Every structure is written in structure tokens, then in C-alpha cells.
Amino acid sequence: MNQATLRLDTHFVVAPIDRRIFSGFLEHLGRAVYQGVYDPGNELSDKNGFRHDVIAALKPLFMPLVRYPGGNFVSDYDWTDGIGPKANRPKRLDYAWQSIESNQFGTDEFMQWCKLVDTKPMMAVNLGTAGARQAAALLEYCNLPVGTAWADKRAANGHKDPYGVKVWCLGNEMDGPWQAGHVPADEYARRAYQAGYLMKQMDPTIQLVACGSSGRGMGTYLEYDRTAVDYCWDQIDFVSAHRYSENHRNDSAWFLAEGTEIDRIIEDYDGLLTYVRGKRRSKKHMHLSFDEWNVWYKAMGDKHQRGNWKEAAPLLEEVYNLEDALVAAQYLMAFIRRADVVKMACLAQIVNVIAPILTNEKGVLIQSIYHPIAQIAKLAHGQSLMTLVDSTKYKAGDRGEVAALDAAASYDPANGNLAVFLVNRDPTKALTASVRLADVTVDGVSATCLTGKDVKAANTWEHPNAVAPKPIEVEQPEPGTLRVTIPGPGMVSLSVKTTRR
């Protein structure tokens, strides 16, 4: 059996945890919007067409923001198609996913839906085939009081009060040749600066996210980011990073060490942002928005990515298993550990499309990745704690020898609540983990364990709880020490009530 020790001291703080790292992403893609969040005529939907069961399933994820409407979709999207009387809204070709967009769900519907889910909008503007003027018009429609043309149009559409959208993405993946309107970094930087200038002149309270790299495998990785961040430094507040984890090689030991790659990406961006700040001799601190992250590798290729010019064709409907869930956990754990760098992050996506829940006409299926996300989002509050891990290593393919234990922890000084998240990455051996608390006494503790029969176990409509968390016992062999055994592989979440000594 593997062994590991995690040492924590609540005085050793990385940074406050920005709850926006638990945000989500909704794109006009496949069945994410239509038959996902919006399904008029279904008995499970309200009078406006919003699915009650989807809303109920999403609320426990505690998403502070939802990014919308894309994604690749936004780079050729005219947002004015999705407002006004529905009978007058045009059907359009969606070149990103070779689909037909009905525009029956648009900006106003999204704002209404956000209120029902207890989340806030994170809007993306088209800087692919559109530009600064159209971006500013959308901001005017969303945020200005009546008295100007687009604000008056919002009021005429039945929404007098401004929506007050505070976070805006300046385009999407503009480094990618697959993106409508893809341009080199210097051209994108000019577009983003122009849009950002107009938007912040109109509403200086907003925060802006510039496009970074679409992935670490891009030939322009970090250089595209550096160009955009340096040029737009005075206008933007975040740069974005995207990553989708895969296990094409079907090597579980290698795949379960994915957290080491996530850590490296965050480290890369920390260095980049520090460099640009130093180069410009600036007092400003820029942060990372990891606004697309998830596991995605099974539902790929033309069958899964091309809609054949149909409406709401089922696309990217990934089925998630246990090892996928443990990799998803490692994303959020990395964001918590580097709370000094990552201030926003968006799970991509939330319904049907590479998502924690799937729908059919009769209900929802909770997928494996849902559970660690819900557990961490529920428990992680307050401050990120430094984690000192001493762990048995295991062989993770060409990633070399990797610590079997991945760990993250948070502490809320307001109430003394401590949360500890432990993933055993070794797919073949259980791990006994001891958590040693340097400066607090334990007043109470509860724990859950997420595991399954094997790494490929997945929830299905017939067996919806094949992968689900279950309560486990926590040993306290001595004061200030907690001990649990984590299956190989598996995840344990600890909720600890403490008092400082």
C-alpha cells in the first residue's frame, strides 16, 4: 500500500480563493442550449422553456459565472439575431459546428436563465468576423440605462433595467486556425485593445479577458499570449488559458498524472504575467482566467463535431468515467493551490456537450465528473493553504515517477472550517494518507470517497450511481492528525471543523 503525509498550517496562506474558479460555460453547440437548458414544450420546462431539472442539477455546482455564447460559435455570431420577437428571429448557418442556429435563445433569455440558476453572466464578444463597434453595442444593450439606442432596444424588448454584466471575453481562441476570423497575435491585440477601449469608456467597472493560447500544444503557445497581454495591458484584467485533457493512449497511470501538466501551465502563465509586468514597470497585477477546461477525447471526429446542417444535433456528448472524474478534480485542486494566479475558470461545458449532466426528454443523468466538482465547490471557501506533501511515487508512463497523492486545502478563518481534497493517482494501489495539522484542533470531521469498480466505470441511464461519493470513516490516531485510506484510484474530500490552538 502507498503512503503519504500532508502537512498543513493555517497561517501558511497562498491567497484568497476567488469563487469564480467554479464557473461554467454554455455555448450554442449541439444540445447544450436547445434540449439542454432550453426545451420549450417539454413537461419538465417552465413557461419560458427553461428545464427545471437542469436548473436543479446545476445549482449544487455553485457557479458564480457562466460564460456565453461561445466558444467557437461566437466568432461568427451576430448577437442582434437573438433579440426581439422570436417570430422575427432569423435562422442562420453556424459554421463553427456545421449546424443551423434558430436564435430562439439569445441574450435576454440567457440573462433570465442566469437568475434562475443563481449565477451571473460572463459574456463573450465576436472579434473574429465582427469587431469593436459590435462589441460596444452589445455592452450598451446589456449595461446602460435607457436613453441610448441599444439600451432603448433592450427596454422595448421588455427589459428596462440594465443587466450589469461585469465580465467580458474579448473573442475566443483567436490563435486557432479553426476559428472564424483567426488572425496573428499582433492583429488580435489591436482588435482587443480597440474593443476594450470602447467598452471601458462606456462602463469602467467591467473586467476584460483577452484571448490566450488554445492549448500548450500550439506552436504560438505563450508568444501569442505575450503579444496580446503586452499590447492590451492597460485595457485588460485577465488572459485566458484553455486545456482539454485526453487519454487517447488508454494509459491510466499516465492520464491520472494530468495534474502535473495543469500545474506546469499555471506556472508558465505566472512567469509570463510577471515578465510583462516587470517589462512595463507596472504596479498592476494581471491574473489568469482558465475559461475552458475539462476532459475530452472520446466524442471527437466528424460524427461528433459536425452537425450536418441540422438544428441541435447531438455533438460532443462525452461519457465520463472514474478516471475522467479524478482528472477533473485535479484541475480544481490546481486552481486552489495557485489561487494567487488563477482567479476565474470555466468548466467547459455544463449540459450535454462535454458536460457533467446529460439530458433526455424525461430527465437528467449525473455524470462522474459532476461529483468532484460539486464536492470541491461546496467545501472550498476562504484561503488557499500551502500543501507540503511527502508521498510514495508511482510510474506514470513518459511522465516519469509522480507522487501518488495530489492534494489541495482551503481554510476559512471566519468559521474555522478546513477543507482537504486528496486524490490517489495510482490506478493499482490504495494509499493511506495522513493529514497533520500544525496549529488547529479538530472539533469534528466528515469525509466522502469517490471511487468505482475500475477506472473505466461510468454512470449510465440504467445505472446512474455507478460512480458516486460515499461517506467514509476518518481515523484520528493522535491529536492534530487525520488518516484515511484512498482506493487506487480514488478521491477523498474532508470537511473539518477546527479551532486554532
Side-chain angles (χ1 to χ4, degrees):
M1 182 177 289
N2 290 328
Q3 303 285 330
T5 300
L6 168 64
R7 292 176 172 85
L8 298 173
D9 187 316
T10 63
H11 292 92
F12 294 168
V13 173
V14 177
I17 297 169
D18 192 323
R19 293 282 301 175
R20 293 180 297 179
I21 65 171
F22 301 115
S23 298
F25 176 32
L26 176 66
E27 181 174 1
H28 284 252
L29 195 179
R31 297 192 310 120
V33 173
Y34 308 106
Q35 301 177 36
V37 302
Y38 182 71
D39 197 6
N42 189 303
E43 63 182 11
L44 297 172
S45 299
D46 67 14
K47 63 180 182 180
N48 294 313
F50 304 132
R51 286 277 295 253
H52 290 297
D53 55 341
V54 171
I55 291 169
L58 290 175
K59 279 189 173 183
L61 299 182
F62 300 103
M63 299 179 296
L65 300 171
V66 172
R67 182 169 171 249
Y68 173 86
N72 294 357
F73 174 81
V74 78
S75 290
D76 193 38
Y77 177 52
D78 183 345
W79 67 270
T80 64
D81 288 340
I83 61 173
K86 294 191 178 188
N88 297 339
R89 297 185 190 182
K91 290 188 176 183
R92 299 287 192 195
L93 296 174
D94 167 25
Y95 295 99
W97 304 107
Q98 291 79 50
S99 300
I100 300 293
E101 171 55 49
S102 71
N103 283 304
Q104 293 300 290
F105 185 101
T107 299
D108 294 312
E109 287 79 20
F110 176 63
M111 299 298 172
Q112 292 175 280
W113 178 83
C114 282
K115 290 183 178 180
L116 297 174
V117 186
D118 295 331
T119 189
K120 300 291 185 183
M122 178 181 183
M123 294 293 287
V125 298
N126 178 357
L127 291 188
T129 58
R133 188 171 182 179
Q134 293 90 334
L138 178 56
L139 175 63
E140 179 185 337
Y141 185 87
C142 290
N143 283 18
L144 264 61
V146 293
T148 60
W150 284 112
D152 288 348
K153 177 71 75 173
R154 181 194 67 240
N157 289 335
H159 309 281
K160 181 180 179 181
D161 294 334
Y163 294 125
V165 180
K166 293 302 182 184
V167 184
W168 294 80
C169 299
L170 298 173
N172 175 76
E173 293 186 353
M174 296 304 296
D175 63 324
W178 58 85
Q179 203 71 207
H182 158 68
V183 287
D186 56 351
E187 173 60 24
Y188 167 71
R190 285 191 290 271
R191 292 185 188 182
Y193 186 94
Q194 291 164 0
Y197 177 82
L198 292 182
M199 294 170 77
K200 283 202 168 179
Q201 285 289 307
M202 192 183 309
D203 185 349
T205 69
I206 63 173
Q207 292 184 309
L208 298 177
V209 184
C211 289
S213 292
S214 301
R216 194 162 177 244
M218 299 294 292
T220 55
Y221 177 65
L222 292 188
E223 184 57 30
Y224 201 100
D225 311 68
R226 183 200 62 78
T227 300
V229 169
D230 196 0
Y231 191 91
C232 298
W233 184 265
D234 293 331
Q235 298 296 340
I236 63 174
D237 305 279
F238 299 88
V239 64
S240 72
H242 292 179
R243 181 170 179 80
Y244 292 99
S245 300
E246 52 82 15
N247 189 20
H248 289 299
R249 62 187 73 187
N250 196 27
D251 182 343
S252 296
W254 174 88
F255 184 46
L256 285 164
E258 176 71 359
T260 61
E261 188 78 3
I262 301 162
D263 288 338
R264 174 60 189 272
I265 292 169
I266 298 172
E267 182 182 347
D268 289 346
Y269 277 95
D270 186 20
L272 169 68
L273 296 174
T274 300
Y275 165 75
V276 177
R277 181 174 183 263
K279 172 179 175 291
R280 296 180 67 95
R281 300 165 182 83
S282 174
K283 295 181 180 180
K284 177 179 179 177
H285 284 276
M286 187 89 60
H287 294 103
L288 183 62
S289 175
F290 219 118
D291 54 36
E292 284 188 34
W293 69 267
N294 205 343
V295 174
W296 174 33
Y297 61 98
K298 297 181 281 289
M300 304 188 86
D302 285 352
K303 175 183 176 182
H304 298 285
Q305 293 177 255
R306 297 178 66 89
N308 294 318
W309 307 112
K310 297 178 181 177
E311 293 185 35
L315 302 177
L316 280 67
E317 298 202 5
E318 192 93 343
V319 174
Y320 289 109
N321 57 34
L322 174 60
E323 63 184 358
D324 298 332
L326 299 179
V327 169
Q330 289 178 69
Y331 271 99
L332 288 177
M333 291 162 66
F335 301 159
I336 289 171
R337 280 195 303 271
R338 294 310 310 269
D340 56 327
V341 178
V342 185
K343 299 296 183 181
M344 293 194 297
C346 300
L347 169 67
Q349 295 185 22
I350 56 174
V351 184
N352 287 328
V353 173
I354 47 175
I357 67 173
L358 296 172
T359 69
N360 62 21
E361 67 279 2
K362 296 180 180 179
V364 299
L365 173 67
I366 301 299
Q367 296 227 68
S368 65
I369 65 169
Y370 180 99
H371 296 297
I373 296 166
Q375 285 283 306
I376 298 173
K378 176 183 177 181
L379 297 177
H381 292 268
Q383 302 166 335
S384 166
L385 297 184
M386 296 180 183
T387 53
L388 182 60
V389 175
D390 181 11
S391 172
T392 305
K393 291 181 169 54
Y394 80 102
K395 293 181 179 179
D398 60 19
R399 284 177 169 152
E401 290 197 335
V402 173
L405 180 67
D406 190 37
S410 68
Y411 175 72
D412 190 343
N415 53 28
N417 288 345
L418 173 71
V420 183
F421 308 104
L422 308 168
V423 169
N424 177 13
R425 300 191 276 213
D426 189 330
T428 61
K429 293 181 181 179
L431 179 148
T432 297
S434 296
V435 181
R436 296 185 179 176
L437 308 174
D439 65 325
V440 294
T441 58
V442 176
D443 300 326
V445 59
S446 61
T448 60
C449 180
L450 181 70
T451 189
K453 291 183 178 179
D454 59 59
V455 293
K456 305 300 183 182
N459 295 338
T460 64
W461 290 100
E462 295 75 25
H463 303 285
N465 296 308
V467 181
K470 295 179 175 59
I472 61 166
E473 294 296 320
V474 180
E475 298 178 40
Q476 298 187 55
E478 58 189 37
T481 299
L482 305 173
R483 187 164 62 200
V484 293
T485 298
I486 313 169
M491 174 186 178
V492 166
S493 301
L494 298 170
S495 177
V496 190
K497 294 186 180 298
T498 71
T499 302
R500 266 187 172 156
R501 291 200 294 269

